[in-house]
């Protein structure tokens, strides 16, 4: 599904020895749930932003379903990028729009701008948006304004919006960090269920090791821009955590 080869990224002002990503390689299989853990500043967000195309890597390759994303331009590139949905810690919804309108926003790039301005979305898109809202447990809340929904509900709308694109790979940057523990578990369980039922691949950044271990098929440990661990959750020992977090365990670091 996704293959990352020798990815490097340096921000302006960073020297070579302190690059945000220093040759990161790994892959995410179709239908896998992979979590990236590591201390603050390890490069987790940079990695996801390079995959979505929000940032351009200095070098390395990002292959989605075998196609090198950097080799594509224009419409072909956008078509491939649309297979990647993203959810964020702060949901990134339009507060004054309804849940349904937020989900429909995912199709804006493929629709006629004038129709969109007039609020005219094709019937089948509206139907799909409502189906997805039902899938994430929000049937009956389609016309509710996003800013009147709870945090957990807002993140569900964001998940539905990500799936609306075409949803084969979901990138999640600290998706439950703003939620209370119960809501956090519910959203993670939803992602796990979508992964199992719909074959969705999930790549999630998490500062919560316990959650990452319980919900993932595989864990990537990132430290100072390098992958220092890549394996199943049950291989994540206290020693591995010390390698990733540099002496502090994740629980001590929180
Ligand atoms: P994480 O998500 O693991 O906390 P980041 O990807 O945000 O890590 O950051 C990795 C490194 O890149 C850090 O050293 C951080 O200070 C640096 N960095 C991140 N964003 C920027 C930026 N916009 N400009 C300069 N340096 C940045």
């Amino acid at each position: 599904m996704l293959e990352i080869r020798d990815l490097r990224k340096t921000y302006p002002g960073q020297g070579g020895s302190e690059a945000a990503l220093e040759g990161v390689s790994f892959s995410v299989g179709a239908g896998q749930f992979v979590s990236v853990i590591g201390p603050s500043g390890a490069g987790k967000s940079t990695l996801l932003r390079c995959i979505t195309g929000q940032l351009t890597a200095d070098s390395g390759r990002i292959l989605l379903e075998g196609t090198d994303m950097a080799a594509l331009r224009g419409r072909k590139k956008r078509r491939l990028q649309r297979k990647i949905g993203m959810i964020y810690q702060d949901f990134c919804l339009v507060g004054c729009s309804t849940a349904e309108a937020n989900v429909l926003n995912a199709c804006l790039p493929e629709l006629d701008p004038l129709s969109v301005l007039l609020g005219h979305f094709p019937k089948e898109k509206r139907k799909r948006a409502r189906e997805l809202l039902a899938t994430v447990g929000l049937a009956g809340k389609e016309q509710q304004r996003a800013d009147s929904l709870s945090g957990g509900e807002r993140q569900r709308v964001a998940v539905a919006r990500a799936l609306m694109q075409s949803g084969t790979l979901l990138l999640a940057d600290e998706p439950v960090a703003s939620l209370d523990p119960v809501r956090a578990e519910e959203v993670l369980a939803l992602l796990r269920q979508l992964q199992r039922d719909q074959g969705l691949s999930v790549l999630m950044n998490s500062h919560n090791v316990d959650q990452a271990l319980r919900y993932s098929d595989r864990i990537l440990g990132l430290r100072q821009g390098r992958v220092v661990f890549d394996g199943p959750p049950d291989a994540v020992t206290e020693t591995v955590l010390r390698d990733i977090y540099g002496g502090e365990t994740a629980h001590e670091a929180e």
Side-chain angles (χ1 to χ4, degrees), residues 11-12 14 18-20 38-47 49 173 205:
Y11 289 102
Q14 279 185 322
E18 47 171 352
S40 185
K44 303 182 296 296
S45 295
T46 303
L47 174 63
R49 283 188 280 151
D173 197 359
N205 281 349

Side-chain angles (χ1 to χ4, degrees), residues 132-206:
L132 286 171
L133 283 167
T135 302
V136 300
L138 291 178
K141 305 226 169 185
E142 298 86 351
Q143 300 311 320
Q144 201 167 320
R145 271 172 64 131
D147 55 12
S148 71
L149 295 169
S150 71
E153 289 170 339
R154 286 185 212 188
Q155 195 58 296
R156 287 166 186 272
V157 173
V159 170
R161 181 182 58 189
L163 295 176
M164 186 81 189
Q165 289 185 210
S166 78
T168 43
L169 173 65
L170 181 71
L171 304 182
D173 197 359
E174 303 280 4
V176 299
S178 300
L179 303 180
D180 67 59
V182 175
R183 257 26 82 185
E185 292 293 323
E186 286 173 2
V187 168
L188 289 170
L190 170 67
L191 296 182
R192 191 66 159 155
Q193 181 196 334
L194 290 170
Q195 175 230 352
R196 288 185 169 150
D197 295 353
Q198 305 194 8
L200 186 70
S201 306
V202 181
L203 181 62
M204 174 175 86
N205 281 349
S206 177

Side-chain angles (χ1 to χ4, degrees), residues 33 212-219 229 231-237:
F33 195 130
L213 296 182
R214 283 187 293 114
Y215 284 97
S216 312
D217 300 309
R218 237 175 71 227
I219 301 290
F229 176 82
D234 57 13
V236 178
T237 59

